[in-house]
Amino acid sequence: MRVNKLTIAALAVVAGLSLTACQTDDEAAAVDRSTPSTSSTTGAGSDASAQGAAKDPAGDSPDQGRSATDTCRTDELDVKAQDTTIDGDETNSVAVTFTNGGGRDCSLSGFAGVDLKTNAGTVSAERSGKPAPATVLKDGESVSFFISYPANDTGGSGIRVTGLVVTPPDETKSVTLDWPGAASLPVTDGSGTPVQVGPIGSAGQGG
């Protein structure tokens, strides 16, 4: 009888331990199901931050709506020329001024095309110096460049200048102006044009 009591008591202890183990596993599983995954929550927050950084406060991407300033068109520019020769200068000069009247910002850079109309035909100016950086003109602002040419000191009649044709940079439409400089150019030996044109901005910029 003593052996049977010990056996029954041992079986009761084993059964109790098994029941406790089952309850512990069930509770752990319940905890796993009710607690969100930490790595999953963190990943979603990172994605949201990345999407927010790609937009500005207005909800647009940083570069949206931005564009480079367009080139000034001939029809938007008021073009004038004036004699700027100073006594004692080695060469004569004329300044041509572009004034932006297009109602928008536009840019000019490099060289304008310059042709002198003469009684002997057209004389095209050669470029001198290096191209200038782009100049952005707000509506109403101006920029100028020089035309230089030799004085006619030969004592003869030379080549009579009858007009000035100016073509803004990157344009094909020209503007014809009265020539404000000396009435004539010296006759050349045919080795090249005596007229040179400076880059945009070479005669200063005004408002």
Coordinates of all heavy atoms in Angstrom, one line a residue, residues 87-150:
D87 N 37.6 111.7 -77.9 CA 38.8 112.3 -78.5 C 40.1 111.6 -77.9 O 40.2 111.5 -76.6 CB 38.9 113.8 -78.3 CG 37.8 114.5 -79.1 OD1 37.3 113.9 -80.1 OD2 37.5 115.7 -78.8
G88 N 41.0 111.2 -78.7 CA 42.2 110.6 -78.2 C 42.2 109.1 -78.3 O 43.2 108.4 -78.1
D89 N 41.0 108.5 -78.5 CA 40.9 107.0 -78.6 C 41.6 106.6 -79.8 O 41.6 107.3 -80.9 CB 39.4 106.6 -78.6 CG 38.8 106.6 -77.2 OD1 39.5 106.9 -76.2 OD2 37.6 106.4 -77.2
E90 N 42.2 105.4 -79.8 CA 42.9 104.8 -81.0 C 41.8 104.4 -82.0 O 42.2 104.4 -83.2 CB 43.7 103.6 -80.6 CG 44.9 104.0 -79.7 CD 45.8 102.8 -79.3 OE1 45.5 101.7 -79.8 OE2 46.8 103.0 -78.6
T91 N 40.7 104.0 -81.6 CA 39.6 103.6 -82.5 C 38.3 104.3 -82.2 O 38.1 104.7 -81.0 CB 39.4 102.1 -82.5 OG1 39.0 101.7 -81.2 CG2 40.6 101.3 -82.9
N92 N 37.4 104.4 -83.1 CA 36.1 105.0 -82.9 C 35.2 103.9 -82.3 O 35.5 102.7 -82.5 CB 35.5 105.5 -84.1 CG 36.3 106.7 -84.7 OD1 37.1 107.3 -84.0 ND2 36.0 107.1 -85.9
S93 N 34.1 104.3 -81.6 CA 33.2 103.3 -81.1 C 31.8 103.7 -81.1 O 31.5 104.9 -81.0 CB 33.6 102.9 -79.6 OG 33.6 104.1 -78.8
V94 N 30.9 102.7 -81.1 CA 29.5 102.9 -81.0 C 29.0 101.9 -80.0 O 29.4 100.7 -80.0 CB 28.8 102.7 -82.4 CG1 27.3 102.5 -82.2 CG2 29.1 103.8 -83.4
A95 N 28.1 102.3 -79.1 CA 27.5 101.4 -78.1 C 26.1 101.1 -78.6 O 25.3 102.0 -78.9 CB 27.5 102.1 -76.8
V96 N 25.8 99.8 -78.6 CA 24.4 99.3 -78.9 C 23.8 98.8 -77.6 O 24.4 98.1 -76.9 CB 24.4 98.2 -79.9 CG1 23.0 97.7 -80.2 CG2 25.0 98.7 -81.3
T97 N 22.6 99.3 -77.3 CA 21.9 98.9 -76.0 C 20.6 98.2 -76.3 O 19.8 98.6 -77.1 CB 21.6 100.2 -75.2 OG1 22.8 100.9 -75.0 CG2 20.9 99.9 -73.9
F98 N 20.5 97.0 -75.6 CA 19.3 96.3 -75.6 C 18.5 96.6 -74.3 O 19.0 96.4 -73.2 CB 19.6 94.8 -75.7 CG 20.2 94.3 -76.9 CD1 21.3 93.5 -76.9 CD2 19.6 94.6 -78.2 CE1 21.9 93.0 -78.1 CE2 20.1 94.1 -79.3 CZ 21.3 93.3 -79.3
T99 N 17.2 96.9 -74.4 CA 16.4 97.1 -73.3 C 15.2 96.1 -73.3 O 14.5 96.0 -74.3 CB 15.8 98.6 -73.2 OG1 16.9 99.5 -73.2 CG2 14.9 98.8 -72.0
N100 N 15.0 95.4 -72.2 CA 14.0 94.4 -72.2 C 12.6 95.0 -72.0 O 12.4 95.7 -71.0 CB 14.3 93.4 -71.0 CG 13.2 92.3 -70.9 OD1 12.4 92.1 -71.8 ND2 13.3 91.6 -69.8
G101 N 11.8 94.9 -72.9 CA 10.4 95.4 -72.8 C 9.4 94.3 -73.0 O 8.2 94.6 -73.3
G102 N 9.8 93.1 -72.8 CA 8.9 91.9 -73.0 C 8.0 91.6 -71.8 O 7.2 90.6 -72.0
G103 N 8.1 92.3 -70.7 CA 7.2 92.0 -69.6 C 7.6 90.7 -68.8 O 6.8 90.2 -68.0
R104 N 8.8 90.2 -69.0 CA 9.3 89.0 -68.4 C 10.8 89.0 -68.3 O 11.4 89.8 -69.0 CB 8.9 87.7 -69.1 CG 9.6 87.6 -70.5 CD 9.2 86.3 -71.2 NE 9.9 86.1 -72.5 CZ 11.1 85.5 -72.6 NH1 11.6 84.9 -71.6 NH2 11.6 85.4 -73.8
D105 N 11.4 88.2 -67.4 CA 12.8 88.1 -67.3 C 13.3 87.3 -68.6 O 12.7 86.3 -69.0 CB 13.3 87.4 -66.1 CG 13.0 88.2 -64.8 OD1 12.5 89.3 -64.9 OD2 13.3 87.7 -63.7
C106 N 14.4 87.7 -69.1 CA 15.0 87.0 -70.2 C 16.6 87.2 -70.2 O 17.1 88.0 -69.4 CB 14.5 87.4 -71.6 SG 14.8 89.2 -72.0
S107 N 17.3 86.4 -70.9 CA 18.8 86.4 -70.8 C 19.4 86.6 -72.2 O 18.9 86.3 -73.2 CB 19.3 85.1 -70.2 OG 19.0 84.0 -71.0
L108 N 20.6 87.3 -72.1 CA 21.4 87.5 -73.3 C 22.8 87.1 -73.0 O 23.3 87.4 -71.9 CB 21.4 89.0 -73.7 CG 20.1 89.5 -74.3 CD1 20.2 91.0 -74.5 CD2 19.8 88.9 -75.7
S109 N 23.5 86.5 -73.9 CA 24.9 86.1 -73.7 C 25.7 86.0 -75.0 O 25.1 85.8 -76.0 CB 25.0 84.8 -72.9 OG 24.5 83.7 -73.7
G110 N 27.0 86.1 -74.9 CA 27.8 86.0 -76.1 C 27.9 87.2 -76.9 O 28.0 88.4 -76.4
F111 N 27.6 87.1 -78.2 CA 27.8 88.2 -79.2 C 26.5 88.4 -80.0 O 25.9 87.4 -80.4 CB 28.9 88.0 -80.1 CG 30.3 88.0 -79.5 CD1 30.8 86.8 -78.8 CD2 31.1 89.1 -79.5 CE1 32.0 86.8 -78.2 CE2 32.3 89.1 -78.9 CZ 32.8 88.0 -78.3
A112 N 26.2 89.7 -80.3 CA 25.2 90.0 -81.2 C 25.8 90.0 -82.6 O 27.0 90.1 -82.8 CB 24.6 91.4 -80.9
G113 N 25.0 89.8 -83.6 CA 25.4 89.9 -85.0 C 25.4 91.4 -85.4 O 24.4 92.1 -85.1
V114 N 26.4 91.9 -86.0 CA 26.5 93.3 -86.4 C 27.0 93.4 -87.9 O 28.0 92.9 -88.2 CB 27.5 94.1 -85.5 CG1 27.7 95.5 -86.1 CG2 26.9 94.2 -84.1
D115 N 26.2 94.1 -88.7 CA 26.5 94.3 -90.1 C 26.4 95.8 -90.4 O 25.3 96.4 -90.0 CB 25.6 93.5 -91.0 CG 25.8 92.0 -90.9 OD1 26.9 91.6 -91.0 OD2 24.8 91.4 -90.6
L116 N 27.3 96.4 -91.0 CA 27.3 97.8 -91.5 C 26.9 97.8 -92.9 O 27.5 97.1 -93.8 CB 28.6 98.5 -91.2 CG 28.8 99.2 -89.9 CD1 28.7 98.2 -88.7 CD2 30.1 99.9 -89.9
K117 N 25.9 98.6 -93.2 CA 25.5 98.7 -94.6 C 26.3 99.9 -95.2 O 26.3 101.0 -94.6 CB 24.0 99.0 -94.7 CG 23.1 97.9 -94.2 CD 21.7 98.3 -94.0 CE 21.0 98.7 -95.3 NZ 19.6 99.0 -95.0
T118 N 27.0 99.7 -96.3 CA 27.8 100.8 -96.9 C 27.5 100.9 -98.4 O 26.8 100.0 -99.0 CB 29.3 100.5 -96.7 OG1 29.7 99.4 -97.6 CG2 29.6 100.0 -95.3
N119 N 28.1 101.9 -99.0 CA 27.9 102.1 -100.4 C 28.7 101.1 -101.2 O 28.6 101.0 -102.4 CB 28.3 103.5 -100.8 CG 29.8 103.8 -100.5 OD1 30.4 103.2 -99.7 ND2 30.4 104.8 -101.3
A120 N 29.5 100.3 -100.5 CA 30.3 99.2 -101.2 C 29.8 97.8 -100.8 O 30.5 96.8 -101.2 CB 31.8 99.4 -100.8
G121 N 28.7 97.8 -100.1 CA 28.1 96.5 -99.7 C 28.1 96.3 -98.2 O 28.3 97.3 -97.5
T122 N 27.8 95.1 -97.8 CA 27.7 94.9 -96.3 C 29.1 94.6 -95.7 O 29.8 93.7 -96.2 CB 26.7 93.7 -96.1 OG1 25.4 94.1 -96.6 CG2 26.6 93.5 -94.6
V123 N 29.4 95.2 -94.6 CA 30.6 94.9 -93.8 C 30.2 94.2 -92.5 O 29.5 94.9 -91.7 CB 31.4 96.2 -93.5 CG1 32.6 95.9 -92.7 CG2 31.8 96.9 -94.8
S124 N 30.6 93.0 -92.3 CA 30.2 92.3 -91.1 C 31.3 92.4 -90.1 O 32.5 92.3 -90.4 CB 30.0 90.8 -91.4 OG 28.9 90.6 -92.3
A125 N 30.9 92.6 -88.8 CA 31.9 92.8 -87.7 C 32.4 91.5 -87.3 O 31.7 90.5 -87.3 CB 31.2 93.5 -86.6
E126 N 33.7 91.5 -86.9 CA 34.3 90.3 -86.3 C 34.1 90.4 -84.8 O 34.1 91.4 -84.2 CB 35.8 90.2 -86.7 CG 36.0 89.9 -88.1 CD 37.5 89.7 -88.4 OE1 38.3 90.1 -87.5 OE2 37.9 89.2 -89.5
R127 N 34.1 89.2 -84.1 CA 34.0 89.1 -82.7 C 35.4 89.4 -82.1 O 36.4 89.0 -82.6 CB 33.5 87.8 -82.2 CG 32.1 87.4 -82.7 CD 31.7 86.0 -82.2 NE 30.3 85.7 -82.6 CZ 29.7 84.6 -82.3 NH1 30.4 83.6 -81.6 NH2 28.5 84.4 -82.6
S128 N 35.4 90.1 -81.0 CA 36.6 90.4 -80.2 C 36.4 90.0 -78.8 O 35.3 90.2 -78.2 CB 36.9 91.9 -80.3 OG 36.0 92.7 -79.7
G129 N 37.5 89.6 -78.1 CA 37.4 89.2 -76.7 C 36.7 87.9 -76.5 O 36.4 87.1 -77.5
K130 N 36.4 87.5 -75.3 CA 35.8 86.3 -74.9 C 34.3 86.4 -74.7 O 33.9 87.5 -74.3 CB 36.5 85.7 -73.7 CG 38.0 85.4 -73.8 CD 38.5 84.8 -72.6 CE 40.0 84.5 -72.7 NZ 40.6 84.0 -71.5
P131 N 33.5 85.4 -74.9 CA 32.1 85.5 -74.7 C 31.8 85.8 -73.2 O 32.5 85.4 -72.3 CB 31.6 84.1 -75.0 CG 32.6 83.5 -76.0 CD 33.9 84.1 -75.6
A132 N 30.8 86.6 -73.0 CA 30.5 87.1 -71.7 C 29.5 86.1 -71.1 O 28.7 85.4 -71.8 CB 29.8 88.5 -71.7
P133 N 29.4 86.0 -69.7 CA 28.4 85.1 -69.1 C 27.0 85.7 -69.4 O 26.9 86.8 -69.7 CB 28.8 85.3 -67.6 CG 30.2 85.7 -67.5 CD 30.4 86.6 -68.8
A134 N 26.1 84.8 -69.2 CA 24.7 85.2 -69.5 C 24.2 86.3 -68.6 O 24.5 86.3 -67.4 CB 23.7 84.0 -69.3
T135 N 23.6 87.3 -69.2 CA 23.1 88.5 -68.4 C 21.6 88.3 -68.4 O 20.9 88.3 -69.4 CB 23.4 89.8 -69.1 OG1 24.9 89.9 -69.1 CG2 22.8 91.0 -68.3
V136 N 21.0 88.3 -67.2 CA 19.5 88.2 -67.0 C 19.0 89.6 -66.9 O 19.4 90.4 -66.1 CB 19.2 87.4 -65.8 CG1 17.6 87.4 -65.6 CG2 19.7 85.9 -65.9
L137 N 18.1 89.9 -67.8 CA 17.5 91.2 -67.9 C 16.0 91.1 -67.3 O 15.2 90.4 -67.9 CB 17.4 91.8 -69.3 CG 18.7 92.1 -70.0 CD1 18.5 92.7 -71.4 CD2 19.5 93.1 -69.2
K138 N 15.8 91.9 -66.3 CA 14.4 92.0 -65.8 C 13.7 93.0 -66.7 O 14.3 93.7 -67.5 CB 14.4 92.5 -64.4 CG 15.0 91.5 -63.4 CD 14.8 91.9 -62.0 CE 15.4 90.9 -61.0 NZ 14.7 89.6 -61.1
D139 N 12.4 93.0 -66.7 CA 11.6 93.9 -67.5 C 12.0 95.3 -67.3 O 12.0 95.8 -66.1 CB 10.1 93.7 -67.3 CG 9.3 94.5 -68.3 OD1 9.6 94.6 -69.4 OD2 8.2 95.0 -67.9
G140 N 12.4 96.1 -68.3 CA 12.9 97.4 -68.2 C 14.4 97.6 -68.0 O 14.9 98.7 -68.2
E141 N 15.1 96.6 -67.8 CA 16.6 96.7 -67.6 C 17.2 96.6 -69.0 O 16.7 96.2 -70.0 CB 17.1 95.6 -66.7 CG 16.7 95.7 -65.3 CD 17.4 94.7 -64.4 OE1 17.9 93.6 -64.9 OE2 17.5 95.0 -63.2
S142 N 18.5 97.1 -69.0 CA 19.3 97.3 -70.3 C 20.7 96.7 -70.1 O 21.2 96.6 -69.0 CB 19.4 98.7 -70.7 OG 18.1 99.3 -70.8
V143 N 21.2 96.3 -71.3 CA 22.6 95.9 -71.3 C 23.2 96.4 -72.7 O 22.4 96.4 -73.7 CB 22.8 94.4 -71.2 CG1 22.1 93.6 -72.3 CG2 24.2 94.0 -71.0
S144 N 24.5 96.7 -72.7 CA 25.1 97.3 -74.0 C 26.3 96.5 -74.4 O 27.0 95.8 -73.6 CB 25.4 98.8 -73.7 OG 24.2 99.5 -73.4
F145 N 26.7 96.7 -75.6 CA 28.0 96.2 -76.1 C 28.6 97.2 -77.1 O 27.9 98.1 -77.6 CB 27.8 94.8 -76.8 CG 27.0 94.9 -78.0 CD1 27.6 95.1 -79.3 CD2 25.6 94.7 -78.0 CE1 26.8 95.1 -80.4 CE2 24.9 94.7 -79.2 CZ 25.5 95.0 -80.4
F146 N 29.9 97.1 -77.3 CA 30.6 98.1 -78.1 C 30.8 97.5 -79.6 O 31.0 96.3 -79.8 CB 32.0 98.3 -77.6 CG 32.1 99.4 -76.5 CD1 32.7 99.1 -75.3 CD2 31.5 100.6 -76.7 CE1 32.7 100.1 -74.3 CE2 31.6 101.6 -75.7 CZ 32.2 101.3 -74.5
I147 N 30.8 98.5 -80.5 CA 31.2 98.2 -81.9 C 32.4 99.2 -82.0 O 32.3 100.4 -81.8 CB 30.2 98.6 -82.9 CG1 28.9 97.7 -82.7 CG2 30.8 98.4 -84.3 CD1 27.8 98.2 -83.6
S148 N 33.6 98.6 -82.4 CA 34.8 99.5 -82.6 C 35.2 99.4 -84.1 O 35.0 98.4 -84.8 CB 35.9 99.0 -81.7 OG 36.3 97.7 -82.0
Y149 N 35.7 100.5 -84.6 CA 36.1 100.6 -86.0 C 37.2 101.7 -86.1 O 37.2 102.6 -85.3 CB 34.9 100.9 -86.9 CG 34.2 102.2 -86.6 CD1 34.5 103.4 -87.3 CD2 33.3 102.4 -85.5 CE1 33.9 104.6 -87.0 CE2 32.7 103.6 -85.2 CZ 33.0 104.7 -86.0 OH 32.4 105.9 -85.7
P150 N 38.0 101.6 -87.1 CA 39.1 102.6 -87.3 C 38.6 103.9 -87.8 O 37.6 103.9 -88.6 CB 40.1 102.0 -88.2 CG 39.2 101.0 -89.0 CD 38.1 100.5 -88.1

